[in-house]
Amino acid sequence: MSSMSSVAGLSKYITTLPKTEKSITAMFIISFISGAVYFIINPSPELGMVENIILGGLFSLIILGISSIIGGGVNQQIVSGLHGINLKIKHSMFLSALSMTIVCILLIIGGILTHFFETDFFLNSLLFGCVLIYGVNTLVFWTTSKISFTKAATVGIIQPLIMLAMYVLITFLVTDTSFLGSDLIQMTIKVIIASIIFILAIYSFITIAGSPLKKNLGIGMLDLLSLFIAHMNEGSNSLESLFENMSETVETMVTFISFKGKNGIKSLFISPFVHPGPLGDLGGSNMPTILANKFDHFTMVAHGPSTHDFNPVRTTEIDKIENAVKEGLEEIEYSKDASIFTRYNSEKANIGVQFFNKGMVILSTFAPNDSDDIEFGVGLTMMTQSKSKCDVKDSVIVDCHNSFAPESGEVLPGNEEVFQLIDVIDKIQCNHQRDTLKIGCYENIMQDLNKNEGVGESGIKTMVVEVANQRTAYVLFDSNNMEIGFRQEIIDATKDLDIDEIEVMTTDTHTVNTISRGYNPIGIVKRGEIIEYVKISINEAIKDLEEVEVGTGTKRIKNLHTFGPNNSTELISTISSIVAVSKIIAPVLLITALVIVFIWIFYGCLLYTSPS
């Protein structure tokens, strides 16, 4: 899951770019200041200091600033005309501003060298900067806009070409009319050869880096990257089609508890063995809200035992979970009997157990220790073991997903936590006295909290279950895990309320993973406000208490298209290998190319200088 969080963390660089107006303003200011600084370092002896600053600022503003603004606008129009994606005008202007800033920095460095070595480095610094930003622009257009390398290389040359053309024009009109001679030829040759060298290095790097993904999974690295950016920028779900090409069909299950009042179903508690990922609004990431909204009554979608292997590749796959639940609801037999809520523990493993009619629910947590997803096979073992031990028809297994730390790992076969779960299930007392039950429900979208605070679209949902004068609060946050220790803080803060037991769960929604933190558990910030929501929800749910009947169900979900255990592992391992290899290849190729280009530009002119 850490790989997924790393991908999600990229979104902060995509969704927080400045507005177009700010980029344009920055280009005006930065270009003027850089030109002024250059002329302060190397002033014209015929002019005073103020005149040097103004002249230098205007010179740079025209050559760099105006050129970059024009280039940004032209780039966006051409990429759009080529049916490229992702490049809005604000992105294009920001790229132009960034590229121009690189050139400005190189010119200032060249100005310092000129001052100390008494050799004019201005033109060579400008050429080197233009070649460098040509490579940067080409790389960005090629990797993010879903256009071919040839088209990207053609568009990438626009900004540096306008800069050089403006320099030639200003030089010809203002300073040196002889510039159109041999100097222009030398400049042209140097730029062409240097650009070819740098572009070939970039092409080689991307081709080598992307080949494992294409070979192993049949998907292009640039397609994956550009469609991911499109999702971040525009909410496009085109990436789902790429996931579908590498999907695996699995058979899994969904378990549920239905509470029926005098007006029909009052509440539905669902635990699908399907993972709400991978991130953003892709695949099943918003499954807890989407699935809940498919029912006309209060519905809680908890986190069942599942990892990223069981991420649906398309949002439409959630329909299969809906159909399974609705089919199961038609088969449910209801009764009024239930047990009280009882806790058991074995080393790190803690469970809360409550029996409903012919079924039971097991709320599993490793709090106060940290943990992440419980794998499908482990959950299936828990289900089989508990059904056999307590002779029940259905066992609803819930991974409470409520104690996260950055080093948290998944609960996988072979981990010691698996045997702790097995041991704690063996401790369950199955012959609890049964009684009638009441439930009360309440939900709040927590509208003053959002993804920045780790809160998803459904906010908080609370169900209070009353059996034999014992009230248990089932509190479910639409969030991706919970900051370690926050669960206990909530439990302590609710001790004075009119309840006897409480368990706090999260849905594991991955819609909150599209911001700067890949991991974004609830409870990092605004704990006080969140606790107030918990108190309100419990009190309101108590007011809603009414006597109900209850039934449980288990249904298989067939032909669910997911990432799958093979491709999910393959994707993560392939991306990891690409990152590892790129750390070596990128510096070697690009730095070598930059050194060659630097030598060529600053010393290549000797090849074209005839002896006098």
Side-chain angles (χ1 to χ4, degrees):
M1 187 168 168
S2 58
S3 295
M4 292 295 178
S5 73
S6 300
V7 172
L10 293 172
S11 61
K12 64 180 177 180
Y13 303 110
I14 301 167
T15 58
T16 58
L17 295 180
K19 295 181 179 179
T20 302
E21 297 80 4
K22 292 184 177 179
S23 294
I24 293 175
T25 302
M27 282 188 271
F28 273 110
I29 295 173
I30 294 172
S31 62
F32 186 90
I33 291 176
S34 63
V37 170
Y38 187 94
F39 271 63
I40 290 173
I41 298 172
N42 300 287
S44 174
E46 295 86 9
L47 302 174
M49 180 59 71
V50 175
E51 292 172 315
N52 271 294
I53 292 175
I54 295 174
L55 180 62
L58 291 175
F59 182 68
S60 179
L61 176 63
I62 295 172
I63 293 175
L64 303 181
I66 301 298
S67 299
S68 296
I69 294 170
I70 295 172
V74 173
N75 286 342
Q76 195 275 331
Q77 291 296 317
I78 293 180
V79 170
S80 297
L82 294 172
H83 305 292
I85 63 175
N86 296 323
L87 194 72
K88 295 181 179 179
I89 188 64
K90 78 167 185 176
H91 304 130
S92 184
M93 284 299 178
F94 176 78
L95 178 61
S96 286
L98 179 63
S99 299
M100 187 206 72
T101 302
I102 293 173
V103 176
C104 289
I105 292 172
L106 292 174
L107 286 177
I108 291 175
I109 294 173
I112 295 172
L113 295 176
T114 298
H115 178 76
F116 284 105
F117 292 98
E118 298 183 354
T119 300
D120 191 358
F121 285 93
F122 180 87
L123 179 57
N124 288 336
S125 298
L126 178 62
L127 296 181
F128 184 66
C130 286
V131 171
L132 183 58
I133 66 170
Y134 173 45
V136 170
N137 288 348
T138 300
L139 180 63
V140 171
F141 296 144
W142 187 28
T143 56
T144 64
S145 297
K146 218 171 184 297
I147 60 177
S148 67
F149 171 74
T150 304
K151 293 176 180 177
T154 303
V155 180
I157 204 171
I158 291 174
Q159 183 184 5
L161 188 62
I162 295 175
M163 282 184 179
L164 293 176
M166 195 72 77
Y167 171 76
V168 171
L169 179 63
I170 297 299
T171 303
F172 174 70
L173 295 177
V174 178
T175 61
D176 185 8
T177 57
S178 65
F179 184 76
L180 293 179
S182 60
D183 287 345
L184 182 59
I185 297 175
Q186 290 179 24
M187 184 183 80
T188 303
I189 293 175
K190 283 196 284 188
V191 168
I192 292 174
I193 294 178
S195 298
I196 292 173
I197 294 171
F198 199 43
I199 286 297
L200 285 177
I202 291 173
Y203 180 81
S204 300
F205 164 62
I206 295 297
T207 302
I208 294 171
S211 59
L213 204 60
K214 190 71 174 178
K215 180 179 179 181
N216 295 345
L217 293 169
I219 60 176
M221 182 179 72
L222 300 187
D223 290 336
L224 183 65
L225 179 60
S226 59
L227 292 176
F228 168 73
I229 294 174
H231 177 67
M232 295 295 103
N233 281 338
E234 305 166 3
S236 168
N237 284 350
S238 299
L239 190 56
E240 290 184 348
S241 61
L242 204 62
F243 290 156
E244 190 169 25
N245 291 336
M246 52 167 279
S247 68
E248 292 182 43
T249 301
V250 302
E251 185 169 328
T252 182
M253 61 184 62
V254 57
T255 55
F256 47 91
I257 309 171
S258 176
F259 302 89
K260 186 169 68 173
K262 56 186 178 182
N263 297 317
I265 294 178
K266 178 180 178 68
S267 174
L268 189 59
F269 186 91
I270 304 175
S271 180
F273 284 42
V274 181
H275 191 269
L279 79 165
D281 292 316
L282 295 170
S285 297
N286 200 25
M287 180 183 71
T289 295
I290 294 173
L291 182 58
N293 289 343
K294 291 180 180 292
F295 297 90
D296 297 329
H297 33 262
F298 179 86
T299 302
M300 301 173 74
V301 180
H303 181 38
S306 56
T307 64
H308 279 276
D309 295 346
F310 280 27
N311 285 332
V313 295
R314 282 189 179 275
T315 305
T316 52
E317 293 297 304
I318 298 173
D319 295 344
K320 297 176 182 178
I321 309 174
E322 173 199 3
N323 294 336
V325 174
K326 289 183 175 178
E327 182 181 336
L329 288 175
E330 295 177 357
E331 303 169 358
I332 281 185
E333 296 179 2
Y334 290 90
S335 75
K336 294 184 177 181
D337 70 297
S339 74
I340 62 172
F341 183 89
T342 309
R343 294 188 185 276
Y344 304 90
N345 73 283
S346 176
E347 297 184 61
K348 296 179 183 178
N350 302 283
I351 59 174
V353 178
Q354 192 159 19
F355 291 88
F356 297 103
N357 195 349
K358 297 179 181 179
M360 64 191 295
V361 63
I362 298 178
L363 307 184
S364 172
T365 178
F366 289 93
N369 299 288
D370 63 279
S371 67
D372 205 349
D373 300 329
I374 295 176
E375 193 261 352
F376 169 80
V378 177
L380 191 59
T381 299
M382 294 171 65
M383 173 188 287
T384 303
Q385 180 189 5
S386 56
K387 287 170 65 176
S388 174
K389 176 177 175 58
C390 295
D391 192 25
V392 294
K393 173 177 170 287
D394 305 293
S395 181
V396 179
I397 308 296
V398 176
D399 174 9
C400 292
H401 215 247
N402 58 7
S403 189
F404 171 80
E407 62 275 10
S408 298
E410 297 173 341
V411 181
L412 304 173
N415 293 160
E416 62 178 0
E417 289 85 356
V418 176
F419 293 95
Q420 292 168 11
L421 288 170
I422 292 174
D423 291 341
V424 75
I425 289 175
D426 275 338
K427 294 183 178 182
I428 297 175
Q429 299 296 317
C430 304
N431 55 350
H432 281 288
Q433 183 177 348
R434 302 298 183 94
D435 207 332
T436 58
L437 76 155
K438 297 179 180 179
I439 68 162
C441 309
Y442 179 78
E443 58 185 313
N444 192 309
I445 62 172
M446 306 168 73
Q447 61 183 7
D448 56 335
L449 301 174
N450 54 40
K451 294 179 183 179
N452 294 301
E453 290 79 39
V455 178
E457 187 178 340
S458 290
I460 184 174
K461 294 185 178 183
T462 297
M463 179 174 66
V464 172
V465 179
E466 181 179 317
V467 179
N469 295 319
Q470 182 208 55
R471 287 178 178 171
T472 303
Y474 289 69
V475 179
L476 178 67
F477 287 105
D478 192 27
S479 62
N480 183 355
N481 221 315
M482 178 173 290
E483 184 77 350
I484 191 168
F486 188 40
R487 168 186 176 270
Q488 188 60 47
E489 191 173 327
I490 293 173
I491 292 174
D492 293 340
T494 56
K495 285 182 177 179
D496 294 334
L497 301 183
D498 191 14
I499 56 173
D500 303 289
E501 290 283 355
I502 178 175
E503 189 53 83
V504 187
M505 302 164 279
T506 70
T507 63
D508 195 25
T509 178
H510 277 53
T511 59
V512 299
N513 288 41
T514 60
I515 63 173
S516 59
R517 291 185 294 265
Y519 282 119
N520 192 32
I522 194 170
I524 293 180
V525 295
K526 297 190 177 182
R527 289 194 174 193
E529 292 93 326
I530 295 169
I531 289 175
E532 284 304 311
Y533 273 111
V534 174
K535 292 180 178 179
I536 292 170
S537 70
I538 292 174
N539 287 330
E540 292 298 321
I542 290 173
K543 295 177 185 178
D544 186 55
L545 281 169
E546 70 168 285
E547 191 167 315
V548 295
E549 294 181 316
V550 64
T552 60
T554 302
K555 293 298 292 185
R556 291 190 181 183
I557 306 169
K558 298 183 179 181
N559 299 317
L560 187 73
H561 294 279
T562 68
F563 276 40
N566 294 324
N567 283 336
S568 180
T569 303
E570 187 75 41
L571 177 63
I572 292 174
S573 61
T574 302
I575 291 176
S576 298
S577 66
I578 288 173
V579 172
V581 170
S582 297
K583 288 179 180 178
I584 300 172
I585 295 177
V588 171
L589 278 177
L590 300 182
I591 292 177
T592 300
L594 280 175
V595 170
I596 294 173
V597 168
F598 179 84
I599 294 174
W600 170 251
I601 287 178
F602 283 88
Y603 298 101
C605 59
L606 296 176
L607 299 175
Y608 301 96
T609 302
S610 301
S612 55

